[in-house]
Amino acid sequence: MEFRAPRGTRDILPSEIGRWQHLESCFQELCRLHGFEEIRTPLFEHTELFSRSVGEESDIVSKEMYTFLDRGGRQVTLRPEGTAPVVRAYLQRGLASQPQPVKLYYYGPMFRYDRPQAGRYRQFHQVGVEMYGAGTPAADLEVISLCTSFFNRLGVNGAELQLNSVGCSRCRPPYRERLVSFLKPREELLCADCRRRHRENPLRVLDCKRPGCRRAITGAPLLAEYLCRECSEHFLALLRLLDRSNIPYRENPYLVRGLDYYTRTAFEFVPREGNDSGSLGGGGRYDDLVEYCGGPATPAVGVALGVERILLAMGEPEGDRYSPGVYIACAPGEEEAEVEALSLARELRDLGVVAEPELTGRSLRGQLKLANRKGYRRVIIIGPRELEQGLFTLRDMVGGSQREYSRSDLLAEVTRPVSGPNSE
């Protein structure tokens, strides 16, 4: 039987993992600098958490969740997004009683049954931040600013910030009624999903990317015209902060995001060109969600960014292919040389140097070819002559030169940083 990974999943191979680790470490460092602390939630939750918070009529809940009964007959769901589990932990674990704002970040896999395509998988990864207890536009800016710094560090320069205000429970109902009236004579242009949304959650029609639905909303009333005073002032204050912070943006009056819990600020980071994988991520404010999940009224803002899509936007890595570590080759069949290689590898690792000794008994020529294929720039050679003289040969795989060192001199040389193929 031939086993293959399930459709919509992928293996992350050793040749790729360095880029993933670089992205993760950049995100973790920026979160630390911004005062966010890491939280790790379970991979699955009770289904009701998502159906109540994300929205029964959202695509995630209605079509995309991996939901099943466990052996106790309980309905559970692999987490399709990160905010609802963090809200649940915020309430259940007493974080609401800590000094506010509580600033949290997460990283990990999410699961949605979706049509696989470039940058979109059924098991995918997100990084995200959540802030509870801060209702000011400055809190929105803090989250957006972290994202722009993250993209800059990764070299993702083509991400356009689009944002809108989706109002609140006071100002959305009149707009909803007006939008329903506008869409009714255009219902025939809508896709099957949006015909259902038109009746149950009409704002979701604005989020549809299908051409017919995009044509149907041409000339639709703008939510901005229906915002209450508080929502309007909040959004205008955020725009002023973005201007003063020199963060470019574009107002998108039809941006509503695909989750029902957003209030006031909603934003996305969208590739400007050359990337068809969709938005790099987005977020906004969800001031009613904590209360809706059973807690006290708590303002909240956050963002989730798609790791796979960001990696696509980063492009292929450039630079030296050579590893900063060393390969330790030894004469095959020489037990003393093998013991010395293992001992030297342990010592180098204690000093923080990547060291890989020969383990299979291949020929010395084969060992050098393997070291080159693995990208090791430097190879330590231990043969009968080296053992007899108490020396080690250090070979430069780029230039082909080699020198002999005593053990202490070798350790000093190998721990010295080497930057690239032209380094002296």
Side-chain angles (χ1 to χ4, degrees):
M1 180 182 293
E2 181 182 358
F3 293 100
R4 302 180 66 86
R7 186 167 185 256
T9 67
R10 61 179 300 225
D11 302 302
I12 305 168
L13 302 178
S15 59
E16 307 170 87
I17 204 68
R19 302 179 71 223
W20 286 71
Q21 291 172 339
H22 173 61
L23 183 150
E24 294 164 22
S25 63
C26 283
F27 183 72
Q28 290 169 343
E29 175 64 9
L30 278 171
C31 287
R32 185 187 67 82
L33 294 174
H34 284 73
F36 287 83
E37 298 179 296
E38 185 177 8
I39 184 170
R40 301 186 185 188
T41 62
L43 291 182
F44 61 92
E45 300 271 358
H46 293 295
T47 301
E48 187 183 11
L49 173 67
F50 300 112
S51 60
R52 283 178 56 85
S53 61
V54 176
E56 291 279 3
E57 301 305 321
S58 67
D59 283 352
I60 291 177
V61 172
S62 63
K63 298 191 296 184
E64 299 174 359
M65 294 202 311
Y66 281 92
T67 298
F68 56 95
L69 292 176
D70 66 12
R71 293 191 176 185
R74 293 171 290 265
Q75 192 175 60
V76 295
T77 296
L78 298 179
R79 64 184 185 193
E81 58 95 41
T83 294
V86 176
V87 169
R88 192 265 309 147
Y90 174 80
L91 293 174
Q92 181 182 354
R93 301 303 180 186
L95 299 179
S97 63
Q98 293 185 3
Q100 307 290 299
V102 172
K103 302 168 72 175
L104 305 169
Y105 77 89
Y106 61 85
Y107 169 85
M110 310 292 167
F111 305 86
R112 296 182 193 174
Y113 189 87
D114 202 353
R115 183 171 64 86
Q117 54 186 286
R120 178 177 294 172
Y121 299 90
R122 291 175 176 174
Q123 177 180 317
F124 59 99
H125 298 76
Q126 288 184 340
V127 294
V129 300
E130 314 279 343
M131 188 188 309
Y132 303 97
T136 64
D140 303 18
L141 177 71
E142 179 84 342
V143 172
I144 292 172
S145 176
L146 188 152
C147 294
T148 58
S149 297
F150 182 48
F151 292 140
N152 289 337
R153 286 200 179 192
L154 294 178
V156 178
N157 300 315
E160 178 186 62
L161 169 63
Q162 298 182 9
L163 73 166
N164 189 28
S165 177
V166 296
C168 66
S169 58
R170 295 190 303 275
C171 52
R172 264 202 305 264
Y175 174 72
R176 183 184 184 281
E177 292 180 10
R178 179 70 183 90
L179 183 61
V180 168
S181 299
F182 174 85
L183 291 173
K184 188 172 182 58
R186 298 166 174 81
E187 191 170 358
E188 61 189 31
L189 297 174
L190 302 177
C191 66
D193 286 335
C194 285
R195 291 192 193 103
R196 172 177 52 82
R197 293 166 181 159
H198 166 230
R199 294 185 295 271
E200 299 170 352
N201 191 351
L203 268 70
R204 293 293 321 288
V205 177
L206 303 177
D207 192 52
C208 186
K209 303 300 188 293
R210 295 180 183 178
C213 298
R214 303 310 297 172
R215 290 193 298 271
I217 66 171
T218 301
L222 301 181
L223 212 165
E225 299 170 356
Y226 290 79
L227 294 179
C228 64
R229 181 176 59 83
E230 290 82 1
C231 288
S232 178
E233 290 178 352
H234 184 101
F235 189 59
L236 292 174
L238 173 59
L239 298 184
R240 290 194 297 270
L241 289 173
L242 289 168
D243 290 333
R244 293 174 181 175
S245 301
N246 296 315
I247 297 177
Y249 61 89
R250 179 169 72 86
E251 292 184 63
N252 180 350
Y254 296 120
L255 175 63
V256 296
R257 302 284 293 153
L259 307 178
D260 288 355
Y261 52 62
Y262 283 107
T263 57
R264 293 191 173 175
T265 308
F267 63 87
E268 285 186 346
F269 289 92
V270 181
R272 289 192 177 90
E273 57 186 20
N275 190 327
D276 298 326
S277 62
S279 72
L280 303 179
R285 184 161 285 283
Y286 37 95
D287 292 341
D288 299 331
L289 184 56
V290 174
E291 187 175 12
Y292 191 62
C293 290
T298 306
V301 62
V303 66
L305 304 173
V307 172
E308 285 85 353
R309 295 183 180 185
I310 294 173
L311 289 171
L312 281 177
M314 288 169 58
E316 293 300 318
E318 299 178 358
D320 190 5
R321 77 171 186 91
Y322 291 98
S323 163
V326 295
Y327 191 90
I328 306 175
C330 60
E334 294 282 346
E335 183 176 349
E336 188 176 349
E338 294 174 356
V339 171
E340 185 70 5
L342 293 170
S343 172
L344 181 62
R346 287 196 301 272
E347 189 168 359
L348 287 170
R349 291 162 183 163
D350 288 342
L351 295 172
V353 176
V354 175
E356 183 177 350
E358 168 60 21
L359 299 174
T360 65
R362 58 172 59 86
S363 68
L364 186 59
R365 181 179 180 184
Q367 293 176 55
L368 294 176
K369 289 176 65 176
L370 176 67
N372 190 56
R373 288 182 61 189
K374 285 196 162 190
Y376 284 102
R377 174 174 178 166
R378 298 181 291 186
V379 176
I380 299 170
I381 302 173
I382 306 174
R385 184 175 59 81
E386 284 83 5
L387 287 172
E388 182 179 342
Q389 298 178 7
L391 298 173
F392 299 86
T393 298
L394 183 63
R395 181 178 180 84
D396 184 342
M397 299 297 288
V398 181
S401 62
Q402 60 185 46
R403 285 183 55 187
E404 293 180 340
Y405 293 88
S406 66
R407 192 182 190 94
S408 60
D409 289 343
L410 175 74
L411 295 176
E413 175 64 22
V414 171
T415 54
R416 183 172 63 87
V418 176
S419 57
N422 299 319
S423 300
E424 298 181 356

